[in-house]
Amino acid sequence: MQIKQILKLLQKIIPNNLLYLLQDIHSKILFRWILLKGSEPTAFNNKSAMVFSPHQDDETFGCGGMIALKREHGVPVTVAFLTDGQGSHGPDSQIKEKIVHIRKQEAVKALEILGVETSKIHFLEKPDGTLQDLQKEQREQTIQQLAELIKFSQPEEIYVPHRKDCHKDHEATYELVKEAIAQVGIKVELLQYPIWLLWRAPLFIMLKLHDIAAAYRLSIESVQHKKSKAIASYCSQLEGLPRGFVKRFLGSYEIFFKVE
Ligand SMILES: [Zn+2]
């Protein structure tokens, strides 16, 4: 039986509350280990940035502090959302119809708090949950769209979800953006932000060390209040997320993994 199958089985037999508690403890230990032993400090820099976010909230959870720091110093930051975010509420939900619009509004609000102008926000509106299964033609078209955005913005840094972020859309975002960068042929620093990695990764010891190598911690203490406020604007999402999961993003550091 593979690890993923074992995890699925465990999820079926362990009650949700207990599972969240275990994940909370596990992610807390992993996060602390990376902060204290497994990362190097990095300071704020003036490089222009582009953040690719699979859903409306990942950019704020993963990079909200970095975005606010850069914007306070007048550094250009562009944010692109790949999916329409429709998958966060089940088919029976009353707000299912409106959720795409609601999440868009929440994203604009969160990014306004972090200092990003509306003109620097792009919504690609691919169907939520499909990024890994795009047909060849759709895939190429998506890469083309991403490449055009990169070409237009000419960022010095690009932020993507971790390549093993334990979520299909997140891992696909990493791959699609990487291919778009290659297509543009631009020289850019690629940084991965963890969202689900620390929460869902199967047990610390099973996570291969090279997956969490080249980690950097950025102090976001001076803009922590802005990030918390931006996270709070994602009302439609916060009720569905485990408390411990959200808490992990409210601290005074953000972690990034450099792609060498
Ligand atoms: Zn997401």
Side-chain angles (χ1 to χ4, degrees):
M1 206 185 275
Q2 284 192 340
I3 294 283
K4 275 188 181 169
Q5 288 171 302
I6 297 173
L7 281 176
K8 271 195 182 147
L9 187 71
L10 282 176
Q11 276 171 359
K12 270 187 199 156
I13 52 176
I14 301 177
N16 263 354
N17 284 352
L18 181 59
L19 185 69
Y20 289 164
L21 180 69
L22 292 174
Q23 283 176 313
D24 191 14
I25 295 168
H26 173 255
S27 76
K28 207 182 276 175
I29 294 171
L30 192 49
F31 193 77
R32 278 195 74 79
W33 181 83
I34 294 174
L35 278 187
L36 298 172
K37 301 263 181 211
S39 62
E40 285 184 33
T42 183
F44 155 80
N45 69 52
N46 274 309
K47 291 178 186 166
S48 60
M50 185 151 197
V51 179
F52 287 97
S53 182
H55 310 104
Q56 294 74 13
D57 64 3
D58 296 313
E59 82 300 338
T60 297
F61 279 136
C63 315
M66 177 279 293
I67 295 173
L69 277 174
K70 285 198 192 276
R71 291 306 301 136
E72 280 190 355
H73 290 81
V75 180
V77 177
T78 308
V79 179
F81 294 98
L82 277 80
T83 78
D84 59 11
Q86 200 171 33
S88 67
H89 289 67
D92 300 331
S93 166
Q94 288 183 335
I95 61 166
K96 168 108 180 128
E97 296 294 304
K98 300 184 207 143
I99 192 63
V100 173
H101 180 64
I102 291 172
R103 291 191 77 169
K104 239 187 197 179
Q105 280 184 322
E106 288 173 345
V108 170
K109 181 85 208 300
L111 289 169
E112 188 192 336
I113 294 165
L114 300 174
V116 180
E117 307 100 318
T118 320
S119 62
K120 299 277 189 179
I121 309 171
H122 303 274
F123 295 96
L124 272 70
E125 298 193 338
K126 306 289 164 198
D128 197 353
T130 66
L131 293 184
Q132 218 166 46
D133 313 308
L134 294 175
Q135 299 294 316
K136 194 171 178 276
E137 208 172 297
Q138 290 173 307
R139 196 169 190 278
E140 275 165 18
Q141 189 217 8
T142 307
I143 293 170
Q144 186 66 34
Q145 277 180 295
L146 297 172
E148 271 162 30
L149 283 176
I150 295 169
K151 218 186 282 176
F152 182 74
S153 301
Q154 293 287 319
E156 292 163 282
E157 289 179 341
I158 289 183
Y159 291 79
V160 279
H162 193 278
R163 65 184 180 279
K164 290 202 176 163
D165 206 36
C166 307
H167 186 302
K168 278 169 125 190
D169 280 339
H170 289 212
E171 292 175 11
T173 298
Y174 173 88
E175 296 298 335
L176 293 165
V177 172
K178 236 189 141 194
E179 284 187 46
I181 294 171
Q183 202 177 90
V184 178
I186 190 177
K187 206 175 166 294
V188 67
E189 246 176 80
L190 187 59
L191 294 128
Q192 309 167 87
Y193 57 88
I195 298 293
W196 292 105
L197 179 79
L198 307 182
W199 187 259
R200 287 184 182 159
L203 300 179
F204 190 10
I205 46 164
M206 288 171 192
L207 194 70
K208 294 192 184 79
L209 275 179
H210 68 253
D211 291 335
I212 50 169
Y216 291 85
R217 58 180 188 275
L218 173 72
S219 171
I220 57 158
E221 215 175 332
S222 65
V223 290
Q224 227 177 322
H225 61 290
K226 284 192 185 176
K227 183 175 177 178
S228 307
K229 215 174 142 195
I231 287 178
S233 32
Y234 279 110
C235 300
S236 74
Q237 301 308 302
L238 292 176
E239 60 200 42
L241 292 165
R243 262 181 56 210
F245 171 83
V246 177
K247 222 173 113 190
R248 204 92 321 123
F249 298 101
L250 297 172
S252 51
Y253 283 96
E254 280 175 356
I255 295 171
F256 301 104
F257 300 90
K258 238 179 226 179
V259 180
E260 304 296 340

